[in-house]
Amino acid sequence: MDNFKAKTNVRYSILIFLFLATVFNYADRATLSVVAPFMSKELAFDPEMMGLAFSSFGISYVIMQIPGGWLLDRYGSRLVYGVALIGWSLVTMLQGTIYLFATPLMALVTLRLLMGAIEAPAFPANSRLSVQWFPNKERGFVTSVYQAAQYISLGIVTPLMTIILHNLSWHYVFYYIGGIGIILGIFWLGFVQDPFKHKKINQQELDYIKQGGGEPELGKQEKKQKISLAQLKQVCVNRMMIGVYIGQFCVTSITWFFLTWFPTYLYQAKGMSILKVGLIASIPAIAGFAGGLIGGMFSDYLLRKGHSLTYARKVPIICGMLLSCVIVSANYTESEVIVVAAMSIAFFAKGFGNLGWCVLSDTSPKEVLGVAGGVFNMCGNLASIITPLVIGYILTTTNSFDYAILYVGSMGLIGLISYVFIVGPLDRIKLQPLAAA
């Protein structure tokens, strides 16, 4: 008991940094969605052109997942994440200058491609750091906290961006949000460290993490780590992980509707002012934040009560995906109140079931967490390419959001089917030795 009382709690300061970095990870992605109605009007971008701009981020983001994971395994999360945070924030600022180019769309697509490539290691790094710094029984909560950052980004930073947009212009949205991210990246490099290198952590906390299933010494041998193609196939191509990949694609599809077309949906389809869009867009985000925290804590609670890992992780995911289908009801009403309620319930449900990264942390071999996270995020974020393009095409051909909302709602049903019928029992994958692979 004395050792427990003497234990430091440095891991919670790391969680704060994970949370803040993820807030601006999503804020930088969402800048374009907030300014889209005004930028597209000023620069004569039609819906298909905006769909291309939205999805260009996802193209490079997906392509760079495995290389980004390799960088994490080789150089560690602290350095790679900190440099990436500064890099993508600088690119965000540059997006405010595209009007200076002869072909603004080409400049915007190029910068979004660059931003996607630089952001690629972020979520694998979150997963890797959660394994380094936290025991199993806290990991559901930790995952829910950094996952909930996306909702805080939408709920707090989006209204801030609409105020900047209303009082200044769309260019300054990029300047301010990018500038804050650069400052945060500098603080990250100054304060974040691996557990075995951190000066403020004591042995009691290191023992607590390790005895609880964490890996505080992960990274000591990372430059010597080798993995064969056969081992990579073992990690990434099996029934359990394929089902998890499908589920993550579905969850990410819902996320990217809110990150890209949702403000335009409120502005154009529902006729709201841009300031009202900022306020209304924050309500589903707050609901998603609450759902994310509750889902993670509920999963950890089930684990502490003696339920299996499979039960504790899959029950919130399945329930959340089922409830997220309620978004389709927005097609059958003109009431702003009902529309906002449907969106809020769907986003709460999506947050409640958004435990894919926790599942990845629970099941991936510790030796290749970066690469495994990269493959997982690559599969999930195919939605960041497909969803904006599909919705842009639907709007161009039908001039209506009805089928777009139906598409988003169907993702919850597909994800539910995947976790019920494909994933199966959750268990940590163990790598076969190189000689036997």
Side-chain angles (χ1 to χ4, degrees), residues 373-395:
V375 174
F376 170 81
N377 211 26
M378 178 185 71
C379 294
N381 275 280
L382 288 172
S384 67
I385 303 171
I386 294 171
T387 300
L389 288 174
V390 168
I391 294 177
Y393 175 77
I394 290 171
L395 293 179

Side-chain angles (χ1 to χ4, degrees), residues 122-358:
F123 266 81
N126 284 346
S127 177
R128 195 173 184 277
L129 284 165
S130 73
V131 172
Q132 287 182 270
W133 276 97
F134 294 90
N136 291 345
K137 66 181 181 181
E138 295 181 1
R139 203 167 297 137
F141 171 72
V142 169
T143 302
S144 70
V145 168
Y146 71 71
Q147 288 277 40
Q150 63 185 275
Y151 312 115
I152 290 296
S153 180
L154 290 171
I156 295 178
V157 183
T158 294
L160 174 63
M161 288 192 280
T162 60
I163 292 172
I164 296 170
L165 180 60
H166 178 75
N167 290 290
L168 297 171
S169 70
W170 60 266
H171 318 84
Y172 287 91
V173 173
F174 293 112
Y175 300 153
Y176 280 106
I177 301 302
I180 295 171
I182 290 173
I183 294 171
L184 179 61
I186 294 170
F187 275 97
W188 173 284
L189 291 174
F191 289 95
V192 173
Q193 192 53 270
D194 289 334
F196 63 89
K197 292 181 180 178
H198 206 290
K199 294 180 179 179
K200 293 187 178 180
I201 194 171
N202 64 11
Q203 190 61 44
Q204 286 82 1
E205 185 174 8
L206 284 169
D207 291 342
Y208 172 77
I209 296 168
K210 191 169 185 177
Q211 291 167 9
E215 298 288 343
E217 296 185 356
L218 178 65
K220 282 190 174 180
Q221 304 297 325
E222 51 198 4
K223 291 186 180 180
K224 300 178 183 179
Q225 180 64 45
K226 295 181 180 179
I227 180 171
S228 69
L229 289 176
Q231 287 175 314
L232 184 61
K233 181 178 179 181
Q234 178 193 352
V235 172
C236 304
V237 185
N238 59 75
R239 174 175 171 171
M240 177 181 70
M241 292 313 301
I242 289 172
V244 171
Y245 298 153
I246 294 171
Q248 190 66 11
F249 174 87
C250 295
V251 167
T252 307
S253 295
I254 300 171
T255 300
W256 273 88
F257 166 70
F258 283 94
L259 282 176
T260 55
W261 287 107
F262 185 50
T264 303
Y265 168 73
L266 297 176
Y267 184 74
Q268 293 183 354
K270 300 303 176 184
M272 299 182 187
S273 68
I274 193 61
L275 286 177
K276 191 172 184 180
V277 166
L279 175 63
I280 295 300
S282 70
I283 297 174
I286 292 169
F289 174 75
L293 291 181
I294 293 171
M297 289 188 291
F298 179 60
S299 178
D300 284 348
Y301 168 79
L302 293 175
L303 206 57
R304 289 195 301 270
K305 286 296 181 180
H307 292 285
S308 68
L309 180 69
T310 300
Y311 185 87
R313 300 308 189 213
K314 288 177 70 172
V315 166
I317 293 172
I318 291 169
C319 291
M321 288 185 170
L322 178 62
L323 188 58
S324 70
C325 298
V326 78
I327 195 173
V328 176
S329 64
N331 281 347
Y332 303 100
T333 180
E334 295 298 322
S335 168
E336 288 184 0
V337 173
I338 296 177
V339 167
V340 173
M343 297 291 173
S344 299
I345 292 170
F347 223 31
F348 173 90
K350 181 257 177 190
F352 187 81
N354 197 9
L355 291 172
W357 278 105
C358 189

